[in-house]
Amino acid sequence: MSSSIGFEHIGAIAIVVLGILLVMSIISWTIMIYKWIQLSSLRARNNVFLERFIDGESESTLNSFARINESLNARVYMLSKQSLSVAKAYLAKEVNHLERGFSILASVGSTAPFVGLFGTIWGIINAFRSIGLSDSTSISVVAPGISEALITTAAGIFVAVVAVIGYNLLYSLYTSIIRETENFLEAIG
């Protein structure tokens, strides 16, 4: 008895479906890793600046630190000294910049199951075609098509679940950073 999971009978359409899902997965992982690094780093820099602001350092010391800190809070702080509207415009621009990539994760999360489902349907069609060609309904006749269907289904679900979990975790981090910065801007404004 073979311990294989059915890859030896996989057809060209299923290979294309799995290839598309692989590309979707690579794109998702790339975005998730990039966004995690970007947002975690931003949160750390924001926290450092906020701690110094809360500690009540002198304005000149805080201004010097804000120039080198590269955090969202530090930039908003410096721009608010010019004008509150300039600081708000900058924050709105940064919000748009930080949101990049989330729509791709959401799209992968919502479309990957359907890509997998296409492979599922194709595998079932192949199973029925095998039945018709051999005039037999034995498991050996339908197994290749069914295994192809199950492989593409599982791949589609896996890609979608990872993208959705990544989206939810990262979007939660993003919204907490933005909310914190908006509250900071309101406090200094």
Side-chain angles (χ1 to χ4, degrees):
M1 180 160 250
S2 172
S3 64
S4 140
I5 58 172
F7 286 115
E8 69 274 359
H9 297 290
I10 199 161
I13 297 295
I15 290 171
V16 169
V17 167
L18 291 172
I20 291 169
L21 290 169
L22 178 64
V23 169
M24 292 171 83
S25 181
I26 290 169
I27 290 169
S28 295
W29 277 103
T30 303
I31 291 170
M32 288 185 295
I33 290 168
Y34 173 77
K35 294 304 281 181
W36 178 256
I37 292 168
Q38 178 191 40
L39 295 172
S40 297
S41 165
L42 181 59
R43 166 159 271 171
R45 291 189 313 263
N46 272 353
N47 287 340
V48 168
F49 180 80
L50 198 55
E51 286 174 15
R52 292 187 77 164
F53 179 81
I54 291 170
D55 287 344
E57 290 191 7
S58 69
E59 187 172 344
S60 63
T61 305
L62 198 58
N63 288 346
S64 297
F65 183 69
R67 283 188 200 90
I68 62 168
N69 181 253
E70 296 185 14
S71 73
L72 200 52
N73 286 343
R75 291 180 197 145
V76 165
Y77 171 77
M78 292 303 290
L79 290 171
S80 71
K81 294 183 166 297
Q82 293 175 14
S83 159
L84 194 57
S85 60
V86 170
K88 286 181 180 180
Y90 173 78
L91 182 57
K93 178 181 140 299
E94 285 301 304
V95 163
N96 286 335
H97 173 72
L98 292 172
E99 281 181 347
R100 289 186 191 142
F102 286 117
S103 61
I104 295 172
L105 286 178
S107 295
V108 168
S110 62
T111 59
F114 295 108
V115 174
L117 182 62
F118 175 77
T120 304
I121 292 167
W122 197 263
I124 292 170
I125 289 171
N126 284 343
F128 282 127
R129 184 179 303 126
S130 296
I131 291 171
L133 292 174
S134 68
D135 279 338
S136 170
T137 57
S138 73
I139 192 72
S140 63
V141 171
V142 296
I146 298 300
S147 69
E148 181 179 299
L150 294 175
I151 289 168
T152 57
T153 302
I157 291 170
F158 177 76
V159 171
V161 167
V162 170
V164 169
I165 290 171
Y167 174 90
N168 288 333
L169 293 173
L170 292 168
Y171 198 78
S172 175
L173 177 59
Y174 158 79
T175 55
S176 71
I177 291 169
I178 296 305
R179 192 175 328 110
E180 185 179 89
T181 303
E182 287 172 343
N183 291 341
F184 176 70
L185 180 57
E186 188 177 308
I188 62 175

